[in-house]
Amino acid sequence: MSQPLDTTLGQLLDRVAWARPQAEALVDLPSGQRLTYARFRDQAEALARGLVALGLPDGDHLALWAPNRPEWLIAWFAAAKAGLVLTSVDTAYTSQQLAYLLGQSEASCLVLAPGAREGGSLEALMQLAPELGLARGERLECEALPHLAQVVVMDDPGPVPPGAWRWGEVLELGQGLDPETLARRQAAQSPQDVATLLYTSGTTGAPKGVMSRHYGLLNTSAAGARNQRLSEQDRLCLSVPLCHMFGCVCVALTGILAGACLVIPSRLPDAKASLLAVARERLTALYGPPTTFIAMMDLPEYRGLDLGSLRTGVMAGAVCPIEVMRRVVEEMGVTYI
């Protein structure tokens, strides 16, 4: 049995980027963006400096509300490097659900994509925090969200409220921070520190925050990587939402631990986009609930695509019918070998 990993998320990214600097880490098909591990690490570190420069103290909670895009993972590892605890917001949340999560988690910073949900997440936030329409001060003073001090909007051509920061502005702010300040902050972290505060679905009551330490996240993910026999040669389909543990931990973190490549086929789950990504990017691992696999196999394109690169993956989130599992193994080639 392998020795347990006794490190932090930030240190993990540094280690993989040092070992495989020019290897592809993130491929975002909607935008065409491709990041090496070195570039991924550099962008996470630049944002981490910006978050520290914003005045967010070690141990604060950072909420992240965005669909699958590279900035989600960059923000997560930036938070980890800065000693912040990540809490993710479901892309389907309404303004009322957002208010509950931000209040219950006591998040002091919200990083969001303007259109994380239908109708736009920025509009939903403005319903709760009209104070964002005022000129930016040192921190946001919002009556409905008393803990929220800073809002960062991922770069988008649309307008941003005066009281919020653009992603690029935070990066510029971080350039003025002494790099040693971030290095000391990261070095002071322990694998036993809490890294994430992820919320349950709330199907039987109000969602509940579940605290996970760096140690637990990394070692459960390492076990998942071993079970799938993941290696640096693998290319994973990151089609399940990053805002859920399935996406951010079971797929993304597991892949990064293996030094594999994560490929984002679409912003929100899309069976056709995922199937085409497997064929075009020669993906080796596929993930999703049974309904996703069924939808893929029902597509007209299914029979005509070369899916020979597939070898492993995870079907979870609901009862897996044996007939579906048999087709996935025998037809798609997901045999875990």
Side-chain angles (χ1 to χ4, degrees):
M1 178 179 291
S2 301
Q3 290 294 316
L5 296 171
D6 196 32
T7 188
T8 65
L9 294 175
Q11 291 166 346
L12 166 72
L13 183 57
D14 290 343
R15 187 187 72 190
V16 179
W18 178 85
R20 309 195 71 223
Q22 299 310 313
E24 275 192 334
L26 302 176
V27 174
D28 182 49
L29 295 182
S31 69
Q33 186 178 10
R34 292 175 182 265
L35 295 181
T36 63
Y37 268 104
R39 187 64 178 150
F40 178 18
R41 186 269 323 279
D42 290 348
Q43 291 196 15
E45 197 148 290
L47 182 62
R49 289 198 299 270
L51 295 174
V52 174
L54 277 178
L56 301 178
D58 182 72
D60 261 24
H61 294 175
L62 180 144
L64 184 53
W65 196 16
N68 287 16
R69 51 190 290 174
E71 292 91 340
W72 203 105
L73 290 165
I74 291 166
W76 183 19
F77 280 87
K81 281 178 165 290
L84 305 174
V85 177
L86 176 89
T87 184
S88 64
V89 183
D90 194 303
T91 53
Y93 265 15
T94 62
S95 56
Q96 291 79 11
Q97 291 169 311
L98 175 67
Y100 169 80
L101 184 142
L102 292 178
Q104 213 274 342
S105 68
E106 298 184 356
S108 62
C109 180
L110 173 62
V111 178
L112 76 159
R117 58 184 289 277
E118 186 176 352
S121 57
L122 198 51
E123 289 83 352
L125 178 62
M126 287 293 292
Q127 294 176 19
L128 298 171
E131 294 89 346
L132 280 170
L134 303 177
R136 182 190 302 151
E138 292 186 4
R139 57 168 287 144
L140 178 67
E141 297 290 344
C142 177
E143 182 178 354
L145 303 170
H147 299 286
L148 190 63
Q150 305 290 353
V151 172
V152 179
V153 182
M154 294 178 183
D155 284 341
D156 187 84
V160 170
W165 295 85
R166 287 186 181 274
W167 179 282
E169 291 177 325
V170 177
L171 295 181
E172 291 178 8
L173 193 65
Q175 291 177 3
L177 185 80
D178 180 1
E180 286 301 313
T181 300
L182 178 64
R184 288 192 297 269
R185 192 147 153 174
Q186 181 175 327
Q189 295 172 41
S190 163
Q192 296 301 326
D193 290 342
V194 174
T196 60
L197 177 64
L198 303 181
Y199 277 74
T200 61
S201 63
T203 52
T204 58
K208 298 171 181 62
V210 179
M211 295 185 293
S212 296
R213 304 178 191 276
H214 293 266
Y215 185 91
L217 290 172
L218 288 170
N219 283 286
T220 53
S221 296
R226 287 194 298 271
N227 288 342
Q228 297 172 65
R229 300 173 186 169
L230 295 179
S231 74
E232 298 172 350
Q233 305 304 314
D234 280 299
R235 298 173 66 79
L236 282 56
C237 187
L238 184 48
S239 54
V240 291
L242 280 165
C243 61
H244 298 160
M245 180 169 279
F246 194 177
C248 67
V249 177
C250 301
V251 181
L253 186 54
T254 298
I256 292 169
L257 267 164
C261 177
L262 303 173
V263 178
I264 300 174
S266 54
R267 292 288 172 256
L268 298 174
D270 184 310
K272 183 175 179 179
S274 297
L275 190 68
L276 293 175
V278 171
R280 295 171 181 173
E281 291 289 327
R282 308 304 296 159
L283 305 187
T284 61
L286 191 57
Y287 304 86
T291 51
T292 294
F293 285 90
I294 293 169
M296 288 188 208
M297 293 186 289
D298 284 344
L299 287 167
E301 295 87 352
Y302 173 62
R303 295 292 177 185
L305 292 174
D306 178 5
L307 307 178
S309 58
L310 278 177
R311 66 164 196 86
T312 191
V314 174
M315 186 188 299
V319 175
C320 305
I322 189 63
E323 299 83 5
V324 176
M325 183 64 77
R326 184 175 292 113
R327 287 188 66 192
V328 169
V329 171
E330 295 177 356
E331 294 180 16
M332 300 183 85
V334 183
T335 58
Y336 297 88
I337 296 175

